[in-house]
Amino acid sequence: MDARLNYFASPTAGKAFKHLMSAGKAIKDSPLPAATQELVALRVSQINGCAVCIDMHTKDAAAAGETSVRLHLVAAWREATVFTEAERAALELAEQGTRIADGAGGVSDEVWAAAAKHYEEEQLTSLVVLVSFMNTANRLNVIAQQPAGSYEPGQFH
C-alpha cells in the first residue's frame, strides 16, 4: 500500500509539519503523565481509524513499559479494570472530544468535571491540546492513507 501523498516531499507540508512536530514535543514535555498521553493518543487514533498512529502509539507505549494487557484493552476501557480513575476520566474526555459531531453538545459538563477532579489545570490543558493534536494527525494520515506497520519506537521523537 502506498500513501496518496508524500508529505515529506511537499514544501508546504514540510513547513506545517515543522510546527506540528514542535507542538507534539510541547505536549510530550507537558505535566500530563506519559502513560496517560499514550493511552489517550491510542484511543483517539482507534476512534478515527488511523492505523499509522495506532502503530506508533502502541509501540511507543510498549517501549516505555506499558503492558500489553492495558494496550489491548484501551478499545474497551469502560469494561476493563486495569485503568485508574484518572485514566478513565482522560479516556472519556478524549472520546467526547473526538466525537464532537456525534453528540451535539461536545464534551459534557459531567465528563469535564471528572477530568478536572483528577488533573490540575495545566495537565487538563495539555490533555485538551493532545486530543486536538491527535485528531489533526489522524486526519492527515487517514486522508492520505498512510500505511502502517513499519514504525520503530521513538522514530519521530
Side-chain angles (χ1 to χ4, degrees):
M1 174 181 196
D2 291 325
R4 290 176 172 162
L5 295 171
N6 180 355
Y7 290 133
F8 296 108
S10 165
T12 300
K15 289 176 192 172
F17 283 6
K18 180 172 123 181
H19 297 288
L20 283 173
M21 295 301 285
S22 292
K25 173 98 170 82
I27 296 165
K28 190 170 187 62
D29 294 343
S30 79
L32 185 65
T36 303
Q37 289 186 38
E38 291 298 343
L39 295 172
V40 165
L42 177 57
R43 185 64 191 128
V44 170
S45 299
Q46 289 171 338
I47 292 166
N48 289 325
C50 183
V52 72
C53 288
I54 293 168
D55 184 36
M56 177 191 314
H57 293 289
T58 301
K59 289 175 179 174
D60 282 347
E66 189 59 76
T67 68
S68 60
V69 170
R70 283 169 43 96
L71 291 174
H72 291 302
L73 288 173
V74 167
W77 64 268
R78 283 181 182 83
E79 294 80 25
T81 60
V82 297
F83 302 106
T84 67
E85 286 301 314
E87 290 167 339
R88 297 170 71 73
L91 289 165
E92 182 66 34
L93 187 140
E95 284 195 8
Q96 284 193 6
T98 297
R99 294 183 165 143
I100 289 174
D102 297 343
V107 174
S108 72
D109 290 340
E110 179 181 280
V111 167
W112 184 262
K117 175 181 167 187
H118 295 285
Y119 299 100
E120 53 136 53
E121 188 166 345
E122 188 58 27
Q123 290 174 316
L124 200 52
T125 300
S126 300
L127 179 57
V128 170
V129 173
L130 172 61
V131 171
S132 300
F133 178 85
M134 287 309 305
N135 275 283
T136 297
N138 291 166
R139 280 151 178 77
L140 286 164
N141 290 319
V142 169
I143 291 168
Q145 293 184 342
Q146 294 295 327
S150 62
Y151 179 79
E152 295 293 327
Q155 181 176 334
F156 296 123
H157 304 294

